[in-house]
Amino acid sequence: MLPYHPEVPPTLTIAPEVARRFLAIRHFLAPPRSLPAEPTSVMTVVDRIGSLQFDPLEVAGRNHDLVLLSRIAGYRREWTDALLYEDRSLFEAYNKGFSLLPTSELPWYRLTWDRNAAELGKSTFVEHRDLVDELLERIRRTGPMSSTDVEPRASIDWYWRPTNQVRAVLEALAQAGVLGLARRDGNRRVYDLAERLFPADVLADRSRTVREQLRHRLFSRYRAHGLLGRAGQAEIWMGLGRAVPSLEDPDWPVRTELRAELEAEGCIVPVSVEGVRGDRFVVADDLPLLDQARREVGRGEPPGGSAPGVAFLAPLDPLAWDREFLRTCFGFDYIWEVYVPAAKRRWGYYVLPILFGDRLVGRIEPRIDRKADTLRILGAWWEEGFDPLAAEGFVDAFAEAIDAHRAFGGVRRLAWPRTARLRALGVEVKRRLG
C-alpha cells in the first residue's frame, strides 16, 4: 500500500509561500469546490488524504461533511452516507479519533479491534456474558439493531458516565470488531454483524503484522495533512503509541523507528520550511504538486491557476490539524472553542477558519437552522491587516462559499449579523446572492 521512491533526494528547502500554496493545491482547495458534483469525488478526496475525522456535533454540518463541502462542488451528505452504509466503500473505525476510512484498507486498521477484543474479553464480555449472547443472537436472528430496540437494563459505569447496559455492550462489541454500523439514524447507531457488512476476503485478511499496521497508520497522518513534522500536539499521533521506547513495553514499535523506515524507503520526503522549526515531511507521491506550487509562486500565478476562492475549513480538517504550524507558516492562531466555557471564548462556539487562495484570512461562525429555513452567520472576524471589502475578488468568492454552505444545508434564507463592522460586507454579500 505504501509508495516506494528510493530515488527521492534527501532534503528539500521551501519558502513558507510555497508550503502554503502546496497545501492548498494538494487539498483540492485551489480553488475550493473544484471536484465534480458527484459521489465519486468523495472517494477522490479519501484516496488522497486517507481518512476523514468524524465528529457528531452538527452545527454548521458534521466535520467530515464540511471537509468534503470545501472540496466538492454541490456536495451532499447523502453521497458519503451511501458510501458508508450501502456501497460499503468506506467504514467507520479509529485512526486519529473516530474516522471514515477506505474499506480496502481495513486489514491495516484491525489492530484497534484486536486490542479491544483482547481487553474486553477479560472484562466487559465476561461480566456481561448473558447480555452479550442475547444481543448477538437477536441480531443474527432479526437483523440490525440499536440500543433503543431492546428494553433498557440497569446502568453501568462506561467511560465517563453511567450508561444503559445494552448501549454499552453494543458499543463494546463494535469496538472489538464483532459488530459494525449498519447505518446511523441521526445520532442513533444501528448495529449489525461485521460479517454481514464487509467483504469476506477483506474481513478475513489478518496478514498484516502489528508493526505494518502501525506504520500504515503513521503514514496515514502524513498522507492526511500533507506537511506534518516529527512532533506536534498529542492528538495528531493518537492511537500510534509512544514516540520513543518504553521500559513498560520494549517490544512495541515506536513512532521514531516507524518514521525512519518510511523516510529510508522514500515513502515520505523531509522538507525544511524557511522560518519553521524542524523538518516537515511530504508524501513522495505529492512531489509533483510541490513542484507545481514552486512554479506558481515563482511566476506570481494564483493558486491552481484560477482566481483565489474562499473555503470554510472544518474544525478537524486535516489541513488544520497542526495548530502550531498554522501559527508559524500561516500566521494564524486557531483554537476550536467548542469545549471552552462560553465566558472564556475569544471567538465563538463553532467557528471555522476562512481560507482565501492560500491564506487564512479570518474566521466565521455559521449555523444551519433548518426549522427556520436559514443559514445564520453568527459572526465573522478578520486577521489583522485584512480588509474583506478591499481584497480583490474576495467578496465574490466569499459570497460563493456562503451560497455553497446554504445549498448544502438545504436552506434558502441567509441571516447576517447586525454588527456595525460587518454591515457593509453583508450588504455586498446579499446583493450578490440576490
PDB file of all heavy atoms in Angstrom, residues 354 356 359-362 381-392 394:
ATOM      1  N   ILE A 354     -11.293  30.732   7.663  1.00  0.00           N
ATOM      2  CA  ILE A 354     -11.617  31.138   6.299  1.00  0.00           C
ATOM      3  C   ILE A 354     -10.336  31.130   5.471  1.00  0.00           C
ATOM      4  O   ILE A 354      -9.398  31.881   5.751  1.00  0.00           O
ATOM      5  CB  ILE A 354     -12.242  32.545   6.263  1.00  0.00           C
ATOM      6  CG1 ILE A 354     -13.537  32.583   7.081  1.00  0.00           C
ATOM      7  CG2 ILE A 354     -12.520  32.970   4.823  1.00  0.00           C
ATOM      8  CD1 ILE A 354     -14.117  33.979   7.230  1.00  0.00           C
ATOM      9  N   PHE A 356      -8.629  31.927   1.922  1.00  0.00           N
ATOM     10  CA  PHE A 356      -8.787  32.713   0.692  1.00  0.00           C
ATOM     11  C   PHE A 356      -7.538  32.498  -0.143  1.00  0.00           C
ATOM     12  O   PHE A 356      -6.450  32.976   0.199  1.00  0.00           O
ATOM     13  CB  PHE A 356      -8.970  34.189   1.028  1.00  0.00           C
ATOM     14  CG  PHE A 356      -9.092  35.095  -0.175  1.00  0.00           C
ATOM     15  CD1 PHE A 356      -9.854  34.727  -1.274  1.00  0.00           C
ATOM     16  CD2 PHE A 356      -8.454  36.328  -0.201  1.00  0.00           C
ATOM     17  CE1 PHE A 356      -9.979  35.559  -2.382  1.00  0.00           C
ATOM     18  CE2 PHE A 356      -8.563  37.177  -1.299  1.00  0.00           C
ATOM     19  CZ  PHE A 356      -9.333  36.784  -2.392  1.00  0.00           C
ATOM     20  N   ARG A 359      -4.199  31.691   1.791  1.00  0.00           N
ATOM     21  CA  ARG A 359      -4.025  32.421   3.053  1.00  0.00           C
ATOM     22  C   ARG A 359      -5.229  32.188   3.954  1.00  0.00           C
ATOM     23  O   ARG A 359      -6.359  32.072   3.476  1.00  0.00           O
ATOM     24  CB  ARG A 359      -3.882  33.924   2.797  1.00  0.00           C
ATOM     25  CG  ARG A 359      -2.651  34.327   2.002  1.00  0.00           C
ATOM     26  CD  ARG A 359      -2.608  35.852   1.881  1.00  0.00           C
ATOM     27  NE  ARG A 359      -3.736  36.354   1.104  1.00  0.00           N
ATOM     28  CZ  ARG A 359      -4.247  37.582   1.214  1.00  0.00           C
ATOM     29  NH1 ARG A 359      -3.745  38.426   2.102  1.00  0.00           N
ATOM     30  NH2 ARG A 359      -5.259  37.964   0.453  1.00  0.00           N
ATOM     31  N   LEU A 360      -4.985  32.131   5.251  1.00  0.00           N
ATOM     32  CA  LEU A 360      -6.064  32.087   6.230  1.00  0.00           C
ATOM     33  C   LEU A 360      -6.316  33.519   6.675  1.00  0.00           C
ATOM     34  O   LEU A 360      -5.461  34.140   7.313  1.00  0.00           O
ATOM     35  CB  LEU A 360      -5.686  31.188   7.415  1.00  0.00           C
ATOM     36  CG  LEU A 360      -5.629  29.696   7.058  1.00  0.00           C
ATOM     37  CD1 LEU A 360      -4.977  28.895   8.175  1.00  0.00           C
ATOM     38  CD2 LEU A 360      -7.028  29.149   6.765  1.00  0.00           C
ATOM     39  N   VAL A 361      -7.478  34.048   6.318  1.00  0.00           N
ATOM     40  CA  VAL A 361      -7.713  35.484   6.454  1.00  0.00           C
ATOM     41  C   VAL A 361      -8.723  35.839   7.543  1.00  0.00           C
ATOM     42  O   VAL A 361      -8.922  37.020   7.836  1.00  0.00           O
ATOM     43  CB  VAL A 361      -8.174  36.099   5.117  1.00  0.00           C
ATOM     44  CG1 VAL A 361      -7.111  35.904   4.047  1.00  0.00           C
ATOM     45  CG2 VAL A 361      -9.512  35.497   4.674  1.00  0.00           C
ATOM     46  N   GLY A 362      -9.364  34.843   8.123  1.00  0.00           N
ATOM     47  CA  GLY A 362     -10.348  35.174   9.148  1.00  0.00           C
ATOM     48  C   GLY A 362     -11.078  33.949   9.643  1.00  0.00           C
ATOM     49  O   GLY A 362     -10.662  32.805   9.403  1.00  0.00           O
ATOM     50  N   TRP A 381     -14.767  37.312  11.756  1.00  0.00           N
ATOM     51  CA  TRP A 381     -13.639  38.078  12.297  1.00  0.00           C
ATOM     52  C   TRP A 381     -12.483  37.979  11.310  1.00  0.00           C
ATOM     53  O   TRP A 381     -12.240  36.917  10.721  1.00  0.00           O
ATOM     54  CB  TRP A 381     -13.209  37.515  13.644  1.00  0.00           C
ATOM     55  CG  TRP A 381     -14.300  37.480  14.658  1.00  0.00           C
ATOM     56  CD1 TRP A 381     -14.595  38.417  15.622  1.00  0.00           C
ATOM     57  CD2 TRP A 381     -15.283  36.427  14.840  1.00  0.00           C
ATOM     58  NE1 TRP A 381     -15.673  38.023  16.372  1.00  0.00           N
ATOM     59  CE2 TRP A 381     -16.118  36.818  15.911  1.00  0.00           C
ATOM     60  CE3 TRP A 381     -15.535  35.217  14.189  1.00  0.00           C
ATOM     61  CZ2 TRP A 381     -17.184  36.042  16.357  1.00  0.00           C
ATOM     62  CZ3 TRP A 381     -16.600  34.436  14.618  1.00  0.00           C
ATOM     63  CH2 TRP A 381     -17.402  34.839  15.695  1.00  0.00           C
ATOM     64  N   TRP A 382     -11.758  39.072  11.134  1.00  0.00           N
ATOM     65  CA  TRP A 382     -10.707  39.126  10.118  1.00  0.00           C
ATOM     66  C   TRP A 382      -9.343  39.250  10.765  1.00  0.00           C
ATOM     67  O   TRP A 382      -9.192  39.867  11.835  1.00  0.00           O
ATOM     68  CB  TRP A 382     -10.956  40.305   9.170  1.00  0.00           C
ATOM     69  CG  TRP A 382     -12.374  40.312   8.706  1.00  0.00           C
ATOM     70  CD1 TRP A 382     -13.355  41.183   9.054  1.00  0.00           C
ATOM     71  CD2 TRP A 382     -12.988  39.332   7.848  1.00  0.00           C
ATOM     72  NE1 TRP A 382     -14.538  40.828   8.465  1.00  0.00           N
ATOM     73  CE2 TRP A 382     -14.347  39.696   7.716  1.00  0.00           C
ATOM     74  CE3 TRP A 382     -12.515  38.204   7.177  1.00  0.00           C
ATOM     75  CZ2 TRP A 382     -15.248  38.971   6.948  1.00  0.00           C
ATOM     76  CZ3 TRP A 382     -13.409  37.473   6.399  1.00  0.00           C
ATOM     77  CH2 TRP A 382     -14.744  37.857   6.280  1.00  0.00           C
ATOM     78  N   GLU A 383      -8.355  38.676  10.120  1.00  0.00           N
ATOM     79  CA  GLU A 383      -6.981  38.802  10.581  1.00  0.00           C
ATOM     80  C   GLU A 383      -6.508  40.252  10.437  1.00  0.00           C
ATOM     81  O   GLU A 383      -6.964  40.986   9.555  1.00  0.00           O
ATOM     82  CB  GLU A 383      -6.058  37.876   9.786  1.00  0.00           C
ATOM     83  CG  GLU A 383      -6.280  36.401  10.078  1.00  0.00           C
ATOM     84  CD  GLU A 383      -5.924  36.050  11.515  1.00  0.00           C
ATOM     85  OE1 GLU A 383      -4.739  35.798  11.793  1.00  0.00           O
ATOM     86  OE2 GLU A 383      -6.857  36.020  12.357  1.00  0.00           O
ATOM     87  N   GLU A 384      -5.597  40.621  11.304  1.00  0.00           N
ATOM     88  CA  GLU A 384      -5.070  41.987  11.282  1.00  0.00           C
ATOM     89  C   GLU A 384      -4.493  42.301   9.896  1.00  0.00           C
ATOM     90  O   GLU A 384      -3.717  41.524   9.334  1.00  0.00           O
ATOM     91  CB  GLU A 384      -3.986  42.154  12.353  1.00  0.00           C
ATOM     92  CG  GLU A 384      -3.466  43.561  12.476  1.00  0.00           C
ATOM     93  CD  GLU A 384      -2.458  43.705  13.601  1.00  0.00           C
ATOM     94  OE1 GLU A 384      -2.259  42.727  14.359  1.00  0.00           O
ATOM     95  OE2 GLU A 384      -1.857  44.788  13.721  1.00  0.00           O
ATOM     96  N   GLY A 385      -4.883  43.434   9.348  1.00  0.00           N
ATOM     97  CA  GLY A 385      -4.379  43.870   8.048  1.00  0.00           C
ATOM     98  C   GLY A 385      -5.212  43.390   6.870  1.00  0.00           C
ATOM     99  O   GLY A 385      -4.940  43.795   5.732  1.00  0.00           O
ATOM    100  N   PHE A 386      -6.218  42.538   7.122  1.00  0.00           N
ATOM    101  CA  PHE A 386      -7.044  42.056   6.010  1.00  0.00           C
ATOM    102  C   PHE A 386      -8.365  42.822   5.988  1.00  0.00           C
ATOM    103  O   PHE A 386      -9.086  42.866   6.990  1.00  0.00           O
ATOM    104  CB  PHE A 386      -7.319  40.560   6.134  1.00  0.00           C
ATOM    105  CG  PHE A 386      -8.154  40.018   4.996  1.00  0.00           C
ATOM    106  CD1 PHE A 386      -7.584  39.763   3.759  1.00  0.00           C
ATOM    107  CD2 PHE A 386      -9.517  39.797   5.152  1.00  0.00           C
ATOM    108  CE1 PHE A 386      -8.346  39.289   2.702  1.00  0.00           C
ATOM    109  CE2 PHE A 386     -10.287  39.317   4.103  1.00  0.00           C
ATOM    110  CZ  PHE A 386      -9.706  39.058   2.874  1.00  0.00           C
ATOM    111  N   ASP A 387      -8.669  43.418   4.852  1.00  0.00           N
ATOM    112  CA  ASP A 387      -9.916  44.143   4.656  1.00  0.00           C
ATOM    113  C   ASP A 387     -10.736  43.382   3.618  1.00  0.00           C
ATOM    114  O   ASP A 387     -10.394  43.365   2.431  1.00  0.00           O
ATOM    115  CB  ASP A 387      -9.645  45.565   4.166  1.00  0.00           C
ATOM    116  CG  ASP A 387     -10.912  46.394   4.000  1.00  0.00           C
ATOM    117  OD1 ASP A 387     -12.011  45.816   3.976  1.00  0.00           O
ATOM    118  OD2 ASP A 387     -10.793  47.634   3.883  1.00  0.00           O
ATOM    119  N   PRO A 388     -11.820  42.735   4.020  1.00  0.00           N
ATOM    120  CA  PRO A 388     -12.574  41.909   3.069  1.00  0.00           C
ATOM    121  C   PRO A 388     -13.151  42.693   1.903  1.00  0.00           C
ATOM    122  O   PRO A 388     -13.315  42.143   0.805  1.00  0.00           O
ATOM    123  CB  PRO A 388     -13.680  41.306   3.942  1.00  0.00           C
ATOM    124  CG  PRO A 388     -13.800  42.219   5.115  1.00  0.00           C
ATOM    125  CD  PRO A 388     -12.412  42.732   5.364  1.00  0.00           C
ATOM    126  N   LEU A 389     -13.457  43.964   2.103  1.00  0.00           N
ATOM    127  CA  LEU A 389     -14.034  44.764   1.033  1.00  0.00           C
ATOM    128  C   LEU A 389     -12.974  45.273   0.062  1.00  0.00           C
ATOM    129  O   LEU A 389     -13.279  45.553  -1.096  1.00  0.00           O
ATOM    130  CB  LEU A 389     -14.813  45.945   1.619  1.00  0.00           C
ATOM    131  CG  LEU A 389     -16.087  45.567   2.382  1.00  0.00           C
ATOM    132  CD1 LEU A 389     -16.650  46.768   3.100  1.00  0.00           C
ATOM    133  CD2 LEU A 389     -17.120  44.958   1.443  1.00  0.00           C
ATOM    134  N   ALA A 390     -11.728  45.360   0.549  1.00  0.00           N
ATOM    135  CA  ALA A 390     -10.660  45.882  -0.299  1.00  0.00           C
ATOM    136  C   ALA A 390      -9.892  44.777  -1.027  1.00  0.00           C
ATOM    137  O   ALA A 390      -9.243  45.040  -2.038  1.00  0.00           O
ATOM    138  CB  ALA A 390      -9.689  46.715   0.539  1.00  0.00           C
ATOM    139  N   ALA A 391      -9.941  43.546  -0.507  1.00  0.00           N
ATOM    140  CA  ALA A 391      -9.184  42.447  -1.111  1.00  0.00           C
ATOM    141  C   ALA A 391      -9.809  42.060  -2.450  1.00  0.00           C
ATOM    142  O   ALA A 391     -10.991  41.687  -2.520  1.00  0.00           O
ATOM    143  CB  ALA A 391      -9.157  41.246  -0.173  1.00  0.00           C
ATOM    144  N   GLU A 392      -9.030  42.118  -3.511  1.00  0.00           N
ATOM    145  CA  GLU A 392      -9.544  41.865  -4.852  1.00  0.00           C
ATOM    146  C   GLU A 392     -10.140  40.467  -4.966  1.00  0.00           C
ATOM    147  O   GLU A 392      -9.477  39.465  -4.660  1.00  0.00           O
ATOM    148  CB  GLU A 392      -8.425  42.025  -5.892  1.00  0.00           C
ATOM    149  CG  GLU A 392      -8.885  41.832  -7.329  1.00  0.00           C
ATOM    150  CD  GLU A 392      -7.752  42.013  -8.331  1.00  0.00           C
ATOM    151  OE1 GLU A 392      -6.645  42.409  -7.916  1.00  0.00           O
ATOM    152  OE2 GLU A 392      -7.989  41.758  -9.530  1.00  0.00           O
ATOM    153  N   PHE A 394     -12.356  39.026  -3.205  1.00  0.00           N
ATOM    154  CA  PHE A 394     -12.773  38.310  -2.003  1.00  0.00           C
ATOM    155  C   PHE A 394     -14.288  38.267  -1.845  1.00  0.00           C
ATOM    156  O   PHE A 394     -14.857  37.206  -1.537  1.00  0.00           O
ATOM    157  CB  PHE A 394     -12.150  38.926  -0.753  1.00  0.00           C
ATOM    158  CG  PHE A 394     -12.608  38.234   0.514  1.00  0.00           C
ATOM    159  CD1 PHE A 394     -12.042  37.029   0.899  1.00  0.00           C
ATOM    160  CD2 PHE A 394     -13.632  38.763   1.298  1.00  0.00           C
ATOM    161  CE1 PHE A 394     -12.473  36.371   2.049  1.00  0.00           C
ATOM    162  CE2 PHE A 394     -14.077  38.115   2.444  1.00  0.00           C
ATOM    163  CZ  PHE A 394     -13.488  36.918   2.813  1.00  0.00           C
TER     164      PHE A 394
END
